[in-house]
Amino acid sequence: MCGLIAYVGTVDAQPILLDALKRLRYRGYDSAGIATLSQGNIHLCRAPGKIEALEEKVALNPLLGTMGIGHTRWATHGLPTEANAHPHRTEHVAVVHNGIIENYDTLKKSLQKKGVVFTSETDTEVILHLFDASLSKGNSPQEAAAEVLPQLEGAYSIAVLFAQYPHTIIGARHGPPLAVGRGENGSYLGSDAFALGGFTDEIQYLEDGDWVEVMDRSVTFHDRDGLVVDRPIVHSHGVMGPVGKDGFRHYMLKEIYEQPSVVNRVLEAYVHPTQGTVNLPIEYEDLKDVKRCVILACGTSYYAGLVAKYWLETFANIPVEVDIASEARYRSSSLCKDCLCIFISQSGETADTLAALSLATQTGCQTLSVVNVAQSSLDRLSRMTLFTFAGPEIGVASTKAFMGQLAVLALFSLWLGRRKNHITPHIEKARLQGLIELPIHLESVLGQAQDFQTMASHLYEKRHMLFLGRNLMYPIAMEGALKVKELSYIHAEGYPAGELKHGPLALVDSHMPVVVFVPSTPLIEKVISNIQEVRARGGQIFLIGDENSLSKLEDVAVSEVKIPGVQEWVTPLLYVLPAQFLAYYMACLKGTDVDQPRNLAKSVTVE
Ligand code: F6R
C-alpha cells in the first residue's frame, strides 16, 4: 500500500506535498514524511503516526524548495517508527516507495558487503543505496534508473529525488499504479489521480515496467526497454476534490447515511427511465457463449460476490464460483475461455484482484469489473466495467461501496437472467420493483440508529461474538463479523446458521453473544431451530428481523431490532445496514479510531 507524491515546479513544494498526502492517507497512515530540495541540499522531515503529526513538525521547521517527494506509509517491512518512515535519504538521493522489493535481502547483503550501512529495517532502503551507488560512479539520474530498476524484483512504484539535479525526479512503476500530472505550476507524480486532484485533471498513467523523467515543464516516459514512449492523457474531471464530513462525527457514519442515494444513483444509471427494465452499457453478444461465472475479489467486496452468486444462479441459471483473489491468482486451472470473470472492488487498485484480472485476461476469459473508482486500474484493464456510483469512500471500513456493489450486481443478475431467457419480463419488473423501493426502507432503518446503539451497548465489551444467517444472510453475517473485527478489534465470526452444530457450537456458553439475521424467508423455521440450539447452550441471542419473523421469536433475545419486510432477494442490501450500525456504535463506545482502524489501509496495493 502506501501513497506517494512528487512535485517539480515553480512554487513552494511543502504545502503541495502535505495536501497530496492528506488525500492519500486512505492508503496508509502508520507514518508520513516529505523531502524537498533547495540549493543542492535535501531537506527531510518524517514523523510516526498520522499526517497531522508531520504537519506539526514541519510547521516548526518548514522545508524549503520548489521540488520534493512525500509518502504516507502502511508498514510492511519494519515497525512504524520514524527511522522506517519514508522518504529514505543519503546525501545525494531521497526515495519514496510503494510496494515490496522481494529480493531486498539479497540486495541488502550485497550492498552491506560493499560497506553500505543501513539505517532502517525497510526493503525500500536498498533502492536508495542502489541509486546512490550508481550516481557515485558518475551516472546521471536517467543512467542510474536504467541500471537500478532491472535489479529490483517484486511490486513497486517509486519516486526519486537527486541533490545534484534540481529539475529532475525519476518515477518508476512495476505493479502498483503511478500517475503523472501536469499543471500550471509544474509537474506531479502520484500514486493515483486522487493524489493529483486539485493540482490538475490531466493524467497520464505509467504502464507496467515504465519509468519516467519528470521535470518542471516536461515529462518523458520510457518503457521497460528504455525506449521513449508516449502514454495517453486521461481526464479525471475533478472528481477527486476534498471530501468533508458534512457535520457527521465520522466519515463512516456519513457514508452509512449516503446509502439510499447510492442505490438511487445506480438505479438512475442502469434502469431504463420509461420501460422500467435493466439497461446496462454492455453487450450480451460478448457474453452469450459464457458457461460459468467466476467472481474474484477481496474482503468486503468478496462478500458482495457471495451474495451475487445466489442471485446469478437463481436469475440467470448459471454456475458461479466465488473466490478470494489472493487465492485464485495462484490457481490458474480454475479459469477457462468460456468463463465470465467478474472483479469486484471499491478502489479498483487491490493488488490481488488486479493479479487475478491479469490471469483471466491471459486465459482469454471475458472480464467485467464492478468498481467505484473510474480510471482505476481495474476499470482500465478489464474489458467491461459497471460503476457503483458510491462516490469517494473515505472511511477505511467499506459501507456505501458495498451497497453500490450489491445494487449493481443485483441489476446485472436480472439483466443476464432476462438475456438468457431464464426469467420473464414480468419477473424482471417485479424483482426490480423490490430494488426500486429499497431506498425508502433503507431510510427507515437509518431512522432506527438509536436501536442499534442500544444493541451495541450490550456487545462492545465482549471479547468474542458470532453472527449467524442462512442463504442470502450468510454473506451478510460474514460482513457483519468483518466490520466488528476491523472497527472494534473484537474477535467475531460469521457462520451459516446450519453449520454451527458442526463445530462452532462448542464455543457457545452464557458469555457468547450471537447476532442472528432473521428475515421472513422460506428458511425461517430452520433459522429458528438454529437459534434454539444456541439458546439451549446458554448463548445470548441478539435478533434483527421483521415483524413476521420476530413474532415467532418472542422472549428469546437479549435485544432485538425490527426492520421493514422487503422482497427476499433484496434482504442483503437492507440487513447489511444494521450490521454496519452495530459495528460502528460498538467502535464508538469502545473508543477506537473508526475511520482509520489500526493496522489497516483503504487501498491494498500490495499482495
Ligand atoms: C473492509 C474493507 C476491505 C476491502 C478489501 C478490498 O471493510 O473495506 O475488506 O473490501 O480490502 O478492497 P477493494 O474493494 O478496494 O478491492
Side-chain angles (χ1 to χ4, degrees):
M1 276 94 90
C2 308
L4 68 83
I5 177 74
Y7 167 70
V8 199
T10 52
V11 298
D12 268 354
Q14 178 176 301
I16 291 175
L17 300 174
L18 289 174
D19 186 30
L21 290 185
K22 284 186 192 159
R23 293 167 200 276
L24 282 168
R25 60 180 140 200
Y26 72 91
R27 290 174 156 260
Y29 37 81
D30 288 338
S31 64
I34 58 174
T36 60
L37 183 69
S38 70
Q39 297 179 342
N41 293 313
I42 295 173
H43 312 286
L44 178 73
C45 185
R46 304 180 294 184
K50 295 191 179 170
I51 290 156
E52 287 70 20
L54 175 70
E55 235 176 356
E56 277 172 28
K57 232 172 147 179
V58 290
L60 298 174
N61 281 308
L63 305 193
L64 298 177
T66 59
M67 66 186 288
I69 56 179
H71 189 267
T72 179
R73 178 167 186 247
W74 182 80
T76 58
H77 293 65
L79 292 170
T81 57
E82 181 170 338
N84 289 332
H86 302 212
H88 293 281
R89 62 160 293 185
T90 62
E91 191 189 338
H92 309 290
V93 199
V95 67
V96 286
H97 162 223
N98 168 28
I100 294 175
I101 304 300
E102 286 173 357
N103 60 337
Y104 89 98
D105 199 36
T106 317
L107 294 170
K108 185 170 179 174
K109 283 183 181 136
S110 133
L111 285 159
Q112 280 170 326
K113 269 192 200 146
K114 292 176 191 155
V116 174
V117 176
F118 280 73
T119 57
S120 78
E121 301 158 275
T122 64
D123 51 338
T124 308
E125 207 182 330
V126 298
I127 309 174
L128 175 80
H129 293 300
L130 288 173
F131 268 98
D132 196 83
S134 187
L135 290 179
S136 68
K137 290 191 277 183
N139 285 332
S140 66
Q142 295 77 357
E143 287 163 339
E147 184 181 45
V148 171
L149 297 175
Q151 299 179 55
L152 305 177
E153 288 169 19
Y156 58 83
S157 55
I158 59 172
V160 193
L161 183 74
F162 304 88
Q164 300 310 315
Y165 296 85
H167 303 291
T168 307
I169 283 176
I170 296 282
R173 171 189 178 186
H174 192 264
L178 197 56
V180 170
R182 274 183 265 179
E184 260 178 41
N185 297 324
S187 305
Y188 307 81
L189 192 61
S191 291
D192 52 29
F194 207 36
L196 308 183
F199 308 136
T200 173
D201 65 357
E202 282 197 354
I203 309 287
Q204 285 169 291
Y205 287 96
L206 276 76
E207 287 188 8
D208 214 21
D210 281 359
W211 62 275
V212 68
E213 295 164 61
V214 183
M215 303 180 83
D216 179 2
R217 298 256 156 243
S218 70
V219 175
T220 312
F221 288 81
H222 301 258
D223 68 9
R224 64 178 75 241
D225 301 319
L227 299 174
V228 173
V229 285
D230 202 10
R231 297 297 177 214
I233 294 178
V234 292
H235 292 268
S236 64
H237 300 300
V239 286
M240 304 297 182
V243 180
K245 286 190 203 153
D246 296 350
F248 285 93
R249 185 170 163 206
H250 296 105
Y251 281 109
M252 181 181 174
L253 191 61
K254 175 186 168 222
E255 288 159 4
I256 287 175
Y257 275 87
E258 282 172 353
Q259 295 180 103
S261 322
V262 174
V263 176
N264 277 327
R265 283 201 290 272
V266 169
L267 290 168
E268 268 166 38
Y270 296 142
V271 174
H272 195 286
T274 51
Q275 291 164 8
T277 51
V278 185
N279 187 24
L280 299 181
I282 51 180
E283 298 296 329
Y284 180 58
E285 192 57 27
D286 293 331
L287 299 179
K288 69 179 185 352
D289 297 327
V290 163
K291 303 273 181 305
R292 198 161 69 96
C293 287
V294 179
I295 300 180
L296 299 150
C298 301
T300 288
S301 300
Y302 166 72
Y303 297 142
L306 289 180
V307 174
K309 173 181 167 76
Y310 288 80
W311 288 334
L312 281 164
E313 289 180 351
T314 308
F315 296 134
N317 192 28
I318 189 165
V320 181
E321 198 183 316
V322 191
D323 216 340
I324 292 175
S326 57
E327 291 295 314
R329 63 182 287 186
Y330 295 111
R331 284 201 350 263
S332 54
S333 57
S334 74
L335 302 178
C336 51
K337 277 203 170 64
D338 55 12
C339 285
L340 165 64
C341 291
I342 304 177
F343 304 89
I344 308 172
S345 174
Q346 187 287 125
S347 60
E349 299 296 353
T350 300
D352 287 316
T353 312
L354 281 168
L357 168 65
S358 156
L359 193 65
T361 307
Q362 282 160 32
T363 313
C365 308
Q366 288 291 359
T367 57
L368 165 68
S369 286
V370 174
V371 290
N372 195 33
V373 179
Q375 290 300 333
S376 58
S377 301
L378 267 185
D379 171 26
R380 287 182 289 117
L381 298 172
S382 58
R383 175 135 188 219
M384 296 164 266
T385 299
L386 294 174
F387 292 113
T388 52
F389 301 107
E393 191 179 59
I394 309 295
V396 163
S398 188
T399 51
K400 63 174 181 168
F402 182 70
M403 185 63 71
Q405 291 166 352
L406 289 184
V408 168
L409 291 161
L411 291 178
F412 177 70
S413 307
L414 287 179
W415 179 89
L416 194 63
R418 255 316 284 129
R419 298 295 171 290
K420 285 167 66 67
N421 266 324
H422 190 67
I423 55 168
T424 61
H426 174 73
I427 297 279
E428 179 190 8
K429 281 197 177 159
R431 294 291 163 269
L432 201 48
Q433 195 53 32
L435 201 57
I436 290 168
E437 286 165 10
L438 186 80
I440 294 169
H441 298 305
L442 289 171
E443 292 288 1
S444 148
V445 179
L446 288 174
Q448 295 177 274
Q450 183 62 51
D451 298 339
F452 298 107
Q453 202 164 352
T454 306
M455 191 180 273
S457 70
H458 295 284
L459 295 167
Y460 78 101
E461 287 175 311
K462 303 286 180 191
R463 299 198 53 203
H464 305 276
M465 61 189 289
L466 294 174
F467 282 84
L468 299 185
R470 266 185 185 252
N471 202 250
L472 285 161
M473 287 298 102
Y474 165 44
I476 299 307
M478 289 196 286
E479 170 61 1
L482 176 61
K483 287 280 131 359
V484 166
K485 279 184 268 211
E486 64 181 329
L487 294 172
S488 311
Y489 319 146
I490 291 170
H491 177 230
E493 295 297 337
Y495 268 100
E499 184 66 11
L500 213 56
K501 55 179 137 345
H502 298 289
L505 201 53
L507 292 170
V508 173
D509 61 15
S510 60
H511 302 291
M512 178 63 89
V514 182
V515 178
V516 194
F517 298 113
V518 57
S520 294
T521 71
L523 289 179
I524 175 116
E525 301 304 335
K526 311 275 177 209
V527 183
I528 290 174
S529 303
N530 301 138
I531 291 170
Q532 296 304 353
E533 289 159 11
V534 174
R535 276 193 85 208
R537 273 85 192 169
Q540 301 174 12
I541 304 287
F542 295 81
L543 293 178
I544 295 155
D546 55 41
E547 183 154 16
N548 176 47
S549 61
L550 293 185
S551 70
K552 300 180 186 218
L553 284 158
E554 276 169 12
D555 302 325
V556 166
V558 175
S559 166
E560 64 178 42
V561 182
K562 192 191 297 172
I563 64 173
V566 290
Q567 285 189 18
E568 183 190 353
W569 83 287
V570 297
T571 51
L573 294 99
L574 192 70
Y575 278 71
V576 74
L577 195 42
Q580 296 165 348
F581 261 145
L582 261 191
Y584 172 76
Y585 285 119
M586 284 170 67
C588 288
L589 289 164
K590 230 183 145 180
T592 55
D593 189 338
V594 171
D595 283 330
Q596 296 184 327
R598 71 184 182 199
N599 305 341
L600 301 180
K602 183 77 188 152
S603 183
V604 184
T605 57
V606 291
E607 118 160 72

